[in-house]
Amino acid sequence: MNMTAQQIRQAFLDFFASKGHTIVPSAPIVVKNDPTLMFTNAGMNQFKDVFLGEAAAKAPRVADTQRCLRVSGKHNDLEEVGVDTYHHTMFEMLGNWSFGDYFKKEAIDWSWELLTSVYGLEKDRLYVTYFEGDEKEGLAKDQEAYDFWKQYVAEDHILPGNKKDNFWEMGETGPCGPCSEIHFDGRTDEERAKVSGAELVNNDDPNVIEIWNNVFMQFNRLKDSSLHPLPARHVDTGMGFERLVRVLQGKTSNYDTDVFMPLIEFISDKSGKTYYPEALPPGEGLGGADWNEAVAMRVMADHIRAISFAIADGQLPSNNKAGYVIRRILRRAVRYSYQYLGFKEPFLNQLVPLLAEQFKGVFDELYSQKDFVQKVVLEEEFAFLRTLESGLRRFNTYFDISNEQGIVTHIDEDISEHVKIKRENIESRRNGIVSGNFAFELSDTFGFPLDLTELIAREKGWTVDAEGFHKALELQKSRSRAATAIDTGDWILLKEDDTVTFTGYDETETVAHIIKYRKVKAKGKEQFQLVLDKTPFYAESGGQVGDTGDLIFPDGEIVKTTDTKKENGLIVHFTDELPESLDDALTAYVDPERRFNINNNHSATHLLHAAMKQVLGSHVNQKGSLVNADYLRFDFSHFSKVTEEELAQIEIIVNQKIRENIFLKEERDVPYQQALDSGVTALFGEKYGDFVRVITFDDSFSKELCGGTHVKATGQIGYFKIISESAVAAGVRRIEAITGAGVEKYINEQSQLVHQLKELLKNPKDIAKSIETLLEENNRLKKEIEKAVNEKASGLKTELAQKAESVNGINFIAQKVALPNAEAIKTLAYHLKDVVNDLFLVLVADIDGKPNITVMVAENLVKERGLNAGNIVRELAKEVQGGGGGQPFFATAGGKDVSGLDRVLEKARGFLS
Ligand code: ATP
Ligand code: MG
């Protein structure tokens, strides 16, 4: 049977639909509102709150294909990618779930049925594993799983696995349980006859690989690491789509399938290099050049997928956090293609349209934004190629040992450490070794990976201290780990009732109880997190900041809420202290003025978005938003600067809508599809539930899916003013604006300023005109002064030239001059040099109470008589308590004591002998 990748994906979904599963869409690859995770790294992520018991499942059986990224944190496969043939950065994870419904039996039955009957895989090539138990944890072997497998699989194909491979945990704490993997042996029959596949399972053999993992969640792990049975047991499975396709299409590499081949062929074509899938690493094969090229092609074909989907889901490359991870992946692809495929100009971006086409109908997010994504990738490539080149220049100065002083690497707060490193650097450069610290600097600042550094070093006959590099890298890692370490305690449950109601759309004050709390330690600071059964506090999301306010207790105790955040669907209140009366009813009281201003800014953001679509066009899409009490920030896709006229036009529309005092239409629990059909603006990269909230200001103007808080009617916003427009990234612009009281303050400041100006200018009729006149007059005066000074200097030139004394073949002039600035004195000195041969000139001046010394020595005297203006001026400056320097033929100095100027002139004569 020869199925295409599309058919294989569809067959999976159809199979589980036929077993009563609801097929759901993939969540975005970029995770929002989860402090523990940047990117989706498994199909189960979007169901985390269900497993934690913090939300109800939408259906008891669910299946999907989830786009995943494993490039950071606990799952980081980046270094394997391209080097091996079955780990990707971005991959699709096919999954089926049971939420408290079926368990081990059905999960095992169905995975076997799908693989062998539907897909027709050869049974003898399949190996399965089960959890062998763990004495320390007090866990018995997973006999159930073993017995279910035994119905289908020969005993020598059922293998025990230890805690590392066969016990899955969501994190340090939380749901966990035994798992059972399915592996496929794709070797030739000869190889299989020689060595049994059973010996190669979980042994890094590229042809005996894991394709599917079935997790049976039945425990909850607490902070003290004890395990407790879960009330409801779940199934969570994940199958690597690209690995499945490879196995079904009879290939020995994921890249040889129709998932990757179109990309590889395009790269091979454009680089003019052949792709050799079987190429071996240097040492194992011949030379290794083919190997490097093959790895580079795989890296490009793989990385463009991760980059494109991250950008499409709203994560732009940047200098921190998730954005930096994406930037690093992109740079990894660029330097591979630069180094091994000869792409010195941006190329990676050309793969975007190809990829978008390929995922049409699967993940449409990419297709609908392909121009934008391509543009972002292109700009990043440009920037990085420039960085690469400056890195190469930097490297060349390093090789140049005559320039030892110039190299200062790895600036550190600790000065002694810094000096030590500098010394090591100089030492190792003398020995033809690139120091670990310099290699690290190249990697950290210029994105040079170690192997690139080694390659360049080798070309110059140098070696690289790889050990030192890894040390420096480790040091940086442990520093950033220490900076971000958060110690989170277990939740302490106060009330069983675990449902949380948000009341903040309707009120800012609610009587409530604490359901649970915990202690959190971050950066040495202790904080508490409280969950209430009801709360008016809005938790930070959708760009709107979290509410602050008070928790007021019957006995008068007031505990301040400093922030409110979402975690897995919970609304978490941050406080600096723990309330004394934990069990009492309390009044949760949101700071009303702050919330009022936030509402203004949020509603204004919607009006702005709608006005922009009118003025700039429908391609304008939200790419980021911040709404707080002071202002609003709105990032959007648009390819050119927004002109003054356009900005004015946008402001006019928004303010008009404010004055129309449009009433808010708020619809909660609208079925998602119905909302889309009614023409709402939905955002890319946002995960919407089955029921959504629609915020409308005038049906024909602004209609958005939004969970934020808003004004009751637009008139409340008062006034809207854009205060800046700028670029954030390629194809992304940013507008910042203020509303209501913020504008009032802004306008008051502006008119205050105008008032001050008027007073300074003695109340002219036309301020602009009178400033213009002032500037013109100022310019004219400046020119006149310049002219006068020049005239004076050339008058002095003749006078001074006549005063030259001839001593030992030197024409010596030492004079005090009355010129208003150092520039004029310098001009005079150069003029004199032109008319007096063998000149040794010392001019001193009192410039506004400060001494000035200028020394000029004819070039022939510098050489023949060893006179050096720089040294001379330094010596002379001592007389005025000052210092200076310059070149051997011209130098200047300043100081504190003008009374010493006469002594300077006397001393100058001393240099003649
Ligand atoms: P491996 O040991 O091969 O890295 P894993 O134990 O990390 O796999 P799981 O976390 O169990 O894998 O993920 C479930 C499935 O997802 C795996 O069986 C595999 O098919 C697939 N998978 C995991 N990581 C990757 C990756 N980086 N690229 C492609 N597929 C992957
Ligand atoms: Mg792995």
Side-chain angles (χ1 to χ4, degrees), residues 70 77 86-88 91 93 210-213 238 240 243:
R70 291 198 169 179
D77 295 334
Y86 58 108
H87 280 95
H88 302 293
F91 64 99
M93 198 187 277
E210 177 188 327
I211 53 173
W212 202 348
N213 195 357
R243 293 187 189 179

Side-chain angles (χ1 to χ4, degrees), residues 416-523:
S416 59
E417 173 85 344
H418 174 202
V419 170
K420 211 179 95 212
I421 288 172
K422 198 171 158 185
R423 222 171 275 142
E424 273 173 18
N425 253 320
I426 294 176
E427 189 58 33
S428 69
R429 290 171 69 213
R430 288 203 183 114
N431 296 323
I433 300 170
V434 175
S435 78
N437 275 298
F438 184 67
F440 175 73
E441 186 202 323
L442 285 173
S443 127
D444 202 40
T445 316
F446 300 102
F448 281 39
L450 186 61
D451 54 357
L452 179 63
T453 303
E454 283 172 334
L455 185 95
I456 300 169
R458 212 162 32 240
E459 282 167 4
K460 298 258 177 188
W462 286 43
T463 57
V464 180
D465 172 13
E467 199 181 316
F469 168 83
H470 289 297
K471 254 209 240 147
L473 189 70
E474 206 33 61
L475 197 69
Q476 187 207 39
K477 274 197 194 151
S478 64
R479 272 199 199 120
S480 63
R481 263 199 299 273
T484 54
I486 297 177
D487 183 15
T488 311
D490 281 330
W491 286 112
I492 315 254
L493 239 58
L494 296 177
K495 272 180 73 186
E496 271 311 319
D497 170 22
D498 219 358
T499 55
V500 177
T501 314
F502 176 61
T503 59
Y505 293 141
D506 305 306
E507 55 193 35
T508 51
E509 207 180 314
T510 300
V511 177
H513 280 90
I514 303 173
I515 304 182
K516 55 181 179 182
Y517 69 89
R518 67 181 175 192
K519 194 153 91 180
V520 188
K521 235 183 174 161
K523 293 185 186 158

Side-chain angles (χ1 to χ4, degrees), residues 286-304:
L286 302 166
D290 296 347
W291 162 256
N292 287 333
E293 289 167 10
V295 172
M297 289 187 203
R298 290 196 287 263
V299 162
M300 291 185 79
D302 173 276
H303 288 13
I304 191 59

